[in-house]
Amino acid sequence: MERYSRRSNLQQYEAQQNFHSLLHAAATDVGLDRVTWTTQQAGDGELAILPRDVPESRVIGRFVPELNRRLRAFNSSRTPAAQIRLRVAVHQGLVHLDGANGFPGHAVVHVCRLCDAKPVRQALAAFPDAGVALVVSTQMYREVVCEYPEEMRPERFRRIEVEHPEKEFREPAWLYVVDEDMSSWPPQDPSSPTGGPPPAGPDTGTGAARPDTGAGAAGPGIRTGDIRVRGQNAIGPNATAIGSVGRDAVFGGEGGGR
């Protein structure tokens, strides 16, 4: 949830209640059962591991737009302090579901990095009427968004670079502020010699921090095309991992990068 930490205690309590109600209603409306989702909760969001039989196309093409529609309706009758706007990230990969302190796996770390990316925060701030800023990994864009162009409109997504230098993470991703025209985003900076986007401004998004082992940091390993191998894990289209459990869709709602 955008600007969660700026809310009062009562406002945070109400935001959490409304957050879950909106997620449940949107999922039910498109035939998804949230009872089957394996989730890790946070005050301002959640990390969800969806069952492997849930099509990623339904999550991206139906659930996210329905969630955005409900958020817009919800926000239309509320003050800015009571509104709920979300950053949502979607990725797919191998995840351990029996971790002692969460869900170990590069896919989980990756989706958290996407959700906490500065361009995603900036895009949501640039469209004050939007309900959801959606960011998907390159793998999801190629294998899901581009495979269903009549439903997900890949031309509406913008390619971004997700950078977290302190975590040695840099990966491309694809961003779409749902139901908004992003053709002129980011705005061009006339003072820039290259005419590129303006320098990054203050980070307007908020979220409680959580301990991070840095398992997703880019480190030594072997990379071939879209496949990166590090330790026992391989990441990328058609990659195979050894020693991991489960191959589920992962998506995060905003909140400390979730």
Side-chain angles (χ1 to χ4, degrees), residues 24-153:
H24 180 78
T28 300
D29 193 67
V30 300
L32 295 176
D33 184 4
R34 271 181 51 82
V35 173
T36 65
W37 298 8
T38 303
T39 60
Q40 180 174 302
Q41 299 298 324
D44 55 355
E46 75 173 27
L47 171 70
I49 314 296
L50 275 62
R52 66 182 65 192
D53 61 350
V54 173
E56 292 93 336
S57 59
R58 183 177 297 179
V59 176
I60 299 173
R62 298 184 60 191
F63 170 72
V64 172
E66 176 60 22
L67 179 60
N68 177 72
R69 185 189 71 80
R70 288 181 175 275
L71 285 168
R72 284 178 180 263
F74 176 87
N75 292 337
S76 66
S77 60
R78 285 166 174 79
T79 64
Q83 292 179 359
I84 296 177
R85 292 173 7 108
L86 303 176
R87 302 198 310 271
V88 177
V90 182
H91 183 45
Q92 183 229 47
L94 294 138
V95 180
H96 289 277
L97 300 179
D98 57 352
N101 192 37
F103 304 121
H106 292 301
V108 171
V109 175
H110 195 107
V111 81
C112 291
R113 300 287 186 262
L114 297 186
C115 204
D116 201 34
K118 184 168 287 187
V120 185
R121 295 173 180 267
Q122 292 175 329
L124 186 59
F127 296 93
D129 294 329
V132 174
L134 169 67
V135 57
V136 301
S137 63
T138 297
Q139 178 186 0
M140 286 288 94
Y141 181 76
R142 291 175 177 172
E143 298 180 6
V144 180
V145 175
C146 291
E147 291 298 319
Y148 299 88
E150 73 286 352
E151 186 172 1
M152 279 169 262
R153 305 290 296 274

Side-chain angles (χ1 to χ4, degrees), residues 2-4 6-8 10-12 14-15 74-75 78-85:
E2 184 184 54
R3 297 188 176 93
Y4 177 83
R6 301 183 188 182
R7 305 170 194 252
S8 67
L10 179 58
Q11 288 172 336
Q12 289 182 7
E14 292 175 341
F74 176 87
N75 292 337
R78 285 166 174 79
T79 64
Q83 292 179 359
I84 296 177
R85 292 173 7 108

Side-chain angles (χ1 to χ4, degrees), residues 114-195:
L114 297 186
C115 204
D116 201 34
K118 184 168 287 187
V120 185
R121 295 173 180 267
Q122 292 175 329
L124 186 59
F127 296 93
D129 294 329
V132 174
L134 169 67
V135 57
V136 301
S137 63
T138 297
Q139 178 186 0
M140 286 288 94
Y141 181 76
R142 291 175 177 172
E143 298 180 6
V144 180
V145 175
C146 291
E147 291 298 319
Y148 299 88
E150 73 286 352
E151 186 172 1
M152 279 169 262
R153 305 290 296 274
E155 72 275 9
R156 295 185 177 181
F157 286 73
R158 298 294 301 274
R159 188 183 187 278
I160 61 172
E161 290 292 326
V162 176
E163 298 183 82
H164 297 280
E166 72 285 1
K167 299 183 183 297
E168 301 180 18
F169 182 94
R170 179 173 181 174
E171 294 285 346
W174 293 83
L175 170 66
Y176 174 42
V177 181
V178 182
D179 286 341
E180 297 289 348
D181 180 6
M182 298 187 67
S183 59
S184 60
W185 186 89
Q188 298 300 301
D189 180 11
S191 65
S192 171
T194 62

